[in-house]
């Protein structure tokens, strides 16, 4: 059963507010997957997930290589038998206000302020799908 990423149930949303390391999967230009550990924040009201990164990272390069339409990506987290995945199209944002907002959200979720990084960018994922273990699907 799919979950509406804009109206997840309380258990699903609570799981995304807990402190978990996640993975981001992007596609390389040759179509092969590239998965790396990241911190993710989930904003169902806006229908987006956010990842902060250095602009020189491979994940950012993969997204930029996809062109103006953005890149299909997924972010996933798990804890024991619980898992949750968000899918959508990613774009790289460089506006200072958007990056600051993403840093604030990261600090709220992960309990620490990200180290200063003058090369930081925001990977913003417009969500199209949410999936998760049965225990997280109830409303």
């Amino acid at each position: 059963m799919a979950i509406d990423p804009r109206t997840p149930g309380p258990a699903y949303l609570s799981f995304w507010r807990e402190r978990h390391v996640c993975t981001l999967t992007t596609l390389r230009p040759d179509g092969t997957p590239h998965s790396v550990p990241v911190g993710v924040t989930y904003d169902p009201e806006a229908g987006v997930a956010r990842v902060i990164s250095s602009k020189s990272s491979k994940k950012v390069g993969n997204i930029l290589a996809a062109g103006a339409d953005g890149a299909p990506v997924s972010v996933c987290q798990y804890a024991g038998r619980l898992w949750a995945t968000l899918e959508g199209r990613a774009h790289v944002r460089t506006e200072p206000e958007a990056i600051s907002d993403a840093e604030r959200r990261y600090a709220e979720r992960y309990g620490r302020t990200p180290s200063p990084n003058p090369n930081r960018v925001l990977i913003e994922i417009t969500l199209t799908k949410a999936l998760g273990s049965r225990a997280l699907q109830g409303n």
Side-chain angles (χ1 to χ4, degrees), residues 1-4 7-15 82-83 131-139:
M1 180 171 100
I3 298 162
D4 182 344
T7 58
Y12 194 83
L13 187 55
S14 177
F15 187 58
L82 298 178
W83 63 273
L131 306 163
S133 51
R134 286 189 193 270
L136 299 177
Q137 292 182 14
N139 286 320

Side-chain angles (χ1 to χ4, degrees), residues 35-99:
S35 297
V36 294
V38 294
V40 176
T41 61
Y42 174 32
D43 181 356
E45 293 81 22
V48 301
R50 296 175 180 89
V51 175
I52 54 175
S53 181
S54 182
K55 68 181 171 185
S56 62
S57 71
K58 181 65 176 165
K59 58 188 166 285
V60 169
N62 290 341
I63 294 165
L64 292 173
D69 289 339
V73 302
S74 67
V75 289
C76 182
Q77 68 179 18
Y78 77 95
R81 298 179 71 179
L82 298 178
W83 63 273
T85 299
L86 298 168
E87 297 179 2
R89 293 205 78 80
H91 290 88
V92 176
R93 298 191 54 190
T94 59
E95 304 92 338
E97 313 79 41
I99 294 168

